[in-house]
Amino acid sequence: MADDAAGTKLGDRMTTGFTIAIDGPAAAGKGTISKAVAAHYGFAHLDTGLLYRAVGARVLIGDDPIEAATTLQPTDLDRDDLRTAEVAQSASKVAVIAEVRAALVDFQRAFARRAGGAVLDGRDIGTVICPNAQVKLYVTASAEIRAKRRFLELTAKGQMTTIDEVLADVKARDDRDMNRAEAPLKPAKDALIIDTSDLSIEEALKVALDEIASQT
Ligand code: C5P
């Protein structure tokens, strides 16, 4: 826990829970910002995309999506193939199914309420999962910049792809996530929008921390 003014005030509220909701499209930087914010305040962090990826991965091996979501096990989240482009596409396909989303709500809300504070990142945290979160951020960037970042990430891990393929994947996922009927990706009305297209990680993190400090 940081001992700056915001950290101290947050510390006072740790027993009642303090939730920071961070939403946005793929590869905008929300994962990096979420981890850094959680580390800064000593909060727990949940990457909710992993839940959908775990369901998507089970579907790729032949499971029914609703069955997979309702029987999801901690071991499903431990698989080391959850970060592939194939699993990401499968995740965004299962994420349109209302019953899949419903099966994952309670776990996310319980995580958000934990004493000690929580940072959740995803697509619908500020709008659906935690509409009463004390802080809501919407982290975005142009599709081209996000594709470039994701391309570098994937190739650094040894995955074979091209920038055009990644851009097409990013746009397909944006389209599916933003236009679905259930919990579409959009900023909550009271979210601060952070466009990271022209920001370094440090600059984006500073904007996020300043906003959190201003809400405490
Ligand atoms: O964040 P990540 O890219 O890992 O998410 C994978 C997919 O899971 C997204 O494209 C989206 O379709 C879905 N998702 C969602 N709601 C969340 C988190 C992720 O629909 N809260």
Side-chain angles (χ1 to χ4, degrees):
M1 168 70 65
D3 61 358
D4 58 14
T8 308
K9 280 191 212 156
L10 286 181
D12 293 345
R13 297 168 74 161
M14 273 174 54
T15 47
T16 53
F18 190 97
T19 308
I20 300 174
I22 305 186
D23 291 303
K30 65 183 186 307
T32 307
I33 293 176
S34 300
K35 278 190 211 108
V37 164
H40 183 84
Y41 288 114
F43 285 6
H45 170 227
L46 178 65
D47 168 2
T48 64
L50 265 192
L51 304 174
Y52 292 91
R53 284 174 183 260
V55 175
R58 285 206 18 204
V59 169
L60 288 176
I61 55 166
D63 285 357
D64 171 75
I66 300 170
E67 168 77 9
T70 50
T71 61
L72 206 62
Q73 300 296 318
T75 48
D76 290 320
L77 301 174
D78 277 345
R79 301 170 54 127
D80 54 14
D81 63 349
L82 295 183
R83 295 280 172 207
T84 64
E86 191 191 13
V87 170
Q89 289 298 336
S90 181
S92 86
K93 288 178 189 160
V94 301
V96 306
I97 305 169
E99 292 89 340
V100 166
R101 306 199 70 82
L104 303 175
V105 166
D106 287 351
F107 176 78
Q108 295 175 81
R109 290 201 176 134
F111 190 97
R113 282 194 302 269
R114 56 202 274 156
V119 180
L120 284 81
D121 77 83
R123 302 291 188 289
D124 62 342
I125 308 304
T127 50
V128 173
I129 301 295
C130 305
N132 297 323
Q134 283 84 350
V135 179
K136 296 180 190 176
L137 306 175
Y138 186 88
V139 181
T140 188
S142 73
E144 287 69 21
I145 299 250
R146 291 185 286 120
K148 193 171 154 204
R149 290 178 187 158
R150 185 49 53 90
F151 172 76
L152 293 174
E153 254 173 54
L154 292 172
T155 49
K157 282 193 266 176
Q159 292 185 37
M160 298 288 289
T161 186
T162 64
I163 189 91
D164 287 346
E165 203 171 53
V166 179
L167 181 60
D169 271 8
V170 160
K171 286 185 171 170
R173 212 137 64 91
D174 282 359
D175 185 49
R176 216 180 282 122
D177 290 350
M178 290 173 179
N179 295 308
R180 66 188 176 211
E182 288 293 320
L185 169 64
K186 62 178 179 190
K189 286 196 178 66
D190 49 349
L192 174 74
I193 296 177
I194 306 177
D195 187 328
T196 66
S197 300
D198 299 316
L199 298 182
S200 65
I201 291 169
E202 292 73 22
E203 287 166 337
L205 180 59
K206 184 174 183 319
V207 177
L209 291 174
D210 285 350
E211 171 67 6
I212 297 164
S214 78
Q215 298 294 327
T216 57

